Amino acid sequence: MIGPSEIAGLSAEIAKRMKRSKLAIPAGVSVKHCHLTKEHFKILFGANAEPKRVKDIKQPGFYAAEECIDVKGPKGVLKKIRLVAPYRDHTQIELAATDAFAIGLNPPVRESGDVKGSAGAVLIGPMGQVEIKEGVIVAQRHLHFSPSEAAALGITSGETVRVRAGTGGGRAVVFEDVVVRVGPKYSLEFHVDTDEANTAGLKTGDFVHIA
Amino acid sequence: MIGPSEIAGLSAEIAKRMKRSKLAIPAGVSVKHCHLTKEHFKILFGANAEPKRVKDIKQPGFYAAEECIDVKGPKGVLKKIRLVAPYRDHTQIELAATDAFAIGLNPPVRESGDVKGSAGAVLIGPMGQVEIKEGVIVAQRHLHFSPSEAAALGITSGETVRVRAGTGGGRAVVFEDVVVRVGPKYSLEFHVDTDEANTAGLKTGDFVHIA
């Protein structure tokens, strides 16, 4: 039988879900791009080159640079992979699986920064090229929250949630396995790659909801 | 209060969902391909040419042909788009959104055969080319059932269901807006395009479940 205590428990769970699902979260679609170490940047663009800012991206401190590289795999080359600066400690190439398969790579799905044992490739710049043994990943979709935004919803960093996207467009999707990242520098955003965005008919700035 | 009749109603709904969700449905991933009218085929491949069978595909009567065409949009060309034969009454080019965007097209999401007002393109074959005003679509994801399979689950043609895919792979997705097609020639299969498959980490033959 369903008694008062079960109903109270259900009510609390439903209230939590309703609160979370009310928040409209803007999507940010990541087109394939790269992050480079200073060393790799200098090889690819020349010893005296520095990344030239084109525009800031939503997460504070990062910007899209003027510089692009080509990424070569066993079956082809992806042209014009945009650099997202500033420099990083590890070179990281973020591709959608469709991009990667097109050049014969099969990179793992990883959180940013977790490149150990990921796929390799040859990076080609105007002044040189570098073969990397690892660094090519498919980015794990994730949600960015500021600490206050997360606290308001009772969500903690590292938690996995579900996100509903594309409602009403005939291609709605519930993304499971969405990792939450909470940080003081983070701005509320749902990050997906182009495969995920195209599957749900989603564009940068469209709103999604925790499901 | 939740009384006996509400509990009975919930129980029936849960039983229906459990039954549906138990069925393991094989996924079929559609790579970009084309269907051609006889007239267009003859222009593209020559008056005396006929489609040459390479292999049957899972849905009875259809086969992948040896012939491929290039599809040109405002921003580029997609090479080697495979013909799926036999001839159709309307030429139809099925692209993933990622493919279409790459050549500057933005086709609508449609069920197969519903090409009216869809995107145009230039089709290029070894013997000629054709400009089509409509026919390029992104295929609406769908489930094929035989009548007996559908009857066993209480599912009817045209119904929309949700499908869970990629469970356990770190990229699970629930696809909403999945259209059911029931027909005597259909073989149980969940049809998605490469964007959708790559989003869920899904390959042809992997099993999915109604959610």
Side-chain angles (χ1 to χ4, degrees), chain A residues 98 141 164 172 174 177 198, chain B residues 98 141 164 172 174 176-177 198:
Chain A
T98 296
R141 54 192 172 236
R164 174 169 277 114
V174 177
D177 301 318
N198 292 340
Chain B
T98 296
R141 53 192 173 236
R164 173 169 277 113
V174 177
E176 311 214 340
D177 302 318
N198 291 341

Side-chain angles (χ1 to χ4, degrees), chain A residues 54-121:
Chain A
V54 173
K55 66 169 183 176
D56 289 342
I57 62 176
K58 190 162 184 187
Q59 297 309 315
F62 294 98
Y63 58 94
E66 198 177 295
E67 289 77 12
C68 294
I69 63 171
D70 293 348
V71 174
K72 187 179 169 188
K75 290 189 181 173
V77 177
L78 293 170
K79 297 272 186 189
K80 283 202 171 190
I81 310 290
R82 176 80 54 187
L83 172 66
V84 174
Y87 299 128
R88 289 232 184 154
D89 290 340
H90 299 280
T91 285
Q92 179 172 300
I93 317 296
E94 297 182 39
L95 304 179
T98 296
D99 305 321
F101 295 162
I103 60 167
L105 296 179
N106 189 9
V109 177
R110 292 285 181 84
E111 290 195 59
S112 186
D114 178 16
V115 296
K116 194 162 172 96
S118 59

Side-chain angles (χ1 to χ4, degrees), chain B residues 9 17 53 111 117 166 203:
Chain B
R17 291 189 179 208
R53 183 185 304 257
E111 290 195 58
K203 292 185 174 47

